[in-house]
Amino acid sequence: FQSYETSATAVYSVLVMLAMHPEIQDRVFEEVRSVFPDEVSSVGYDDMKKFPYLDMVIAETLRLAPPIPCIGRQTLNETELRPGVRIPKEMQVVIPIYELHRRKEIWGPEADRFNPDNFLPENIAKRHPCAYMAFSKGPRNCIGFRYAEFTLRVLLITLLRSLKFSTTFKYHDIVFMPKVTLGYEVEPLLSIEVRA
């Protein structure tokens, strides 16, 4: 259930972001069309490396709308985060991924803006590796994250090659509702057009 729910939420969120940002959707479409000029008959593992901009769009969407907005962990040992700040052994810790992904000191003054360039290699290199953790980090990360990444790509490549998405809903009107997975207070409706 968890895999299905988070994957479905992630695909929907990417489509919402692309519908709200048609210039970015056009760029993704051109990338997909360059690999699949006629139609998508099958997507192989080697094909996955041919979509760097789509990968940036997915990562940026998961930054702004992580399917799991927070995670909990328990410390195994007493841990010193920095001088004077200690976490006792066996303490429950909540990591607010949604808030972490929007911190201006990490993501810049426009941290709330949808900007796939946040995931250009040179921008990734400037950030701490744990600044982005859509699938958690470390030995307790999401067991199905590789499956989720592959599924997202295949679905989006297939959908975006033949369909165009639009919406009248505005990005600044999105209100997220944290539940078990991140949801929308009002789900933006999408219009779908078949590409010629």
Side-chain angles (χ1 to χ4, degrees):
F1 168 78
Q2 189 69 25
S3 164
Y4 170 79
E5 176 72 14
T6 55
S7 296
T9 299
V11 168
Y12 173 70
S13 292
V14 172
L15 294 176
V16 166
M17 294 300 164
L18 290 175
M20 292 178 175
H21 301 86
E23 70 287 352
I24 293 173
Q25 182 177 178
D26 289 345
R27 186 169 167 189
V28 172
F29 170 70
E30 290 302 327
E31 183 177 70
V32 171
R33 188 167 64 174
S34 73
V35 177
F36 297 106
D38 300 317
E39 63 180 38
V40 179
S41 55
S42 68
V43 181
Y45 183 77
D46 289 338
D47 293 322
M48 295 295 100
K49 301 170 192 162
K50 300 173 184 173
F51 300 97
Y53 192 67
L54 175 62
D55 289 347
M56 290 166 53
V57 167
I58 292 170
E60 179 67 352
T61 301
L62 295 178
R63 179 183 76 84
L64 292 169
I68 304 297
C70 67
I71 55 174
R73 297 290 185 260
Q74 180 174 315
T75 58
L76 296 175
N77 303 302
E78 181 176 329
T79 305
E80 184 174 37
L81 292 179
R82 61 181 177 155
V85 179
R86 296 178 100 47
I87 298 177
K89 179 180 179 178
E90 297 181 0
M91 181 176 184
Q92 299 293 320
V93 178
V94 174
I95 303 166
I97 295 171
Y98 179 88
E99 285 80 11
L100 172 68
H101 286 179
R102 291 169 179 262
R103 291 189 62 163
K104 291 186 184 340
E105 60 270 26
I106 297 171
W107 299 95
E110 295 185 319
D112 290 328
R113 185 171 73 90
F114 180 71
N115 179 13
D117 287 352
N118 281 320
F119 289 90
L120 287 167
E122 59 269 24
N123 291 332
I124 292 171
K126 296 176 194 173
R127 289 189 300 271
H128 188 281
C130 292
Y132 173 75
M133 48 192 312
F135 298 101
S136 185
K137 288 285 186 184
R140 295 281 317 267
N141 70 346
C142 174
I143 192 169
F145 85 94
R146 293 276 185 226
Y147 169 78
E149 287 181 334
F150 190 80
T151 302
L152 278 172
R153 289 179 185 142
V154 170
L155 283 169
L156 290 166
I157 288 165
T158 303
L159 290 170
L160 294 168
R161 179 59 188 91
S162 57
L163 303 172
K164 184 174 186 173
F165 297 85
S166 60
T167 186
T168 57
F169 204 96
K170 302 298 180 199
Y171 177 76
H172 61 268
D173 290 331
I174 292 175
V175 176
F176 289 109
M177 300 297 294
K179 301 172 188 169
V180 174
T181 59
L182 192 70
Y184 296 81
E185 183 178 66
V186 176
E187 292 185 351
L189 296 177
L190 298 177
S191 295
I192 303 171
E193 175 186 342
V194 176
R195 291 187 184 269

